[in-house]
Amino acid sequence: MEDVQEEDALEEVKYSLLEKYPDAFLFLVKAKEVDARIQEDIAQLEELRNFVHAHHDYSPPIIGIVTQVDELDPIYDAEPPFGEEKEEHIQEAVTHLDNHLKNSLPQIAGTIPVCAYLAFKDEEIVYDRRWNIDLLLDFLLDHLPDSTWMSWAKITQAAEIQKKLLVL
């Protein structure tokens, strides 16, 4: 059991942000739910960002992420690369979330659609439907402080990140 310091989840997150602040806020929303309680969630995100700025004099970038895009219509088009009709529905979801975020948080870095579905059997990947994860990683790295890049490259031993750092 973890010790809980505050009464509600938002206050608990704030409490944890007193000591350390995030490099970025990732705002994940399922593609089929880009309207579900979105204003309340965005208000809490704005409150957290303002809290970080007030306590650490830093405003982390906000990146919207539309998840599970493979579940949008047409459902028979579930394998990346997606067809034109699916791409249109993905773009509609991205635009919708992006507009919601920009109406409240004009400084949002952007919104990226992804699919991260993997299936495992006996600890082996047996089905891989990941899409746009590399784009998300590149976008994220473009919006993070350089010190975060260094730490991330060391921890993950990611060759692509290390190459990108050498170019800079």
Side-chain angles (χ1 to χ4, degrees), residues 94-131:
V94 167
T95 300
H96 197 73
L97 178 59
D98 204 54
N99 287 339
H100 272 302
L101 287 167
K102 285 181 178 174
N103 284 337
S104 297
L105 302 160
Q107 67 278 33
I108 180 172
T111 303
I112 305 289
V114 298
C115 176
Y117 185 80
L118 288 171
F120 294 86
K121 184 176 181 179
D122 299 325
E123 299 183 26
E124 295 287 325
I125 296 173
V126 294
Y127 187 73
D128 186 349
R129 196 187 293 170
R130 288 178 289 182
W131 177 76

Side-chain angles (χ1 to χ4, degrees), residues 48-91:
L48 288 173
R49 190 165 194 257
N50 291 339
F51 182 86
V52 169
H53 183 75
H55 287 82
H56 301 285
D57 196 29
Y58 174 69
S59 295
I62 297 169
I63 300 170
I65 303 173
V66 178
T67 66
Q68 300 179 0
V69 297
D70 55 316
E71 294 182 4
L72 290 172
D73 288 331
I75 198 63
Y76 58 80
D77 183 9
E79 296 290 328
F82 302 115
E84 187 176 321
E85 186 178 0
K86 172 85 86 181
E87 287 283 351
E88 287 176 15
H89 290 129
I90 291 170
Q91 191 53 51

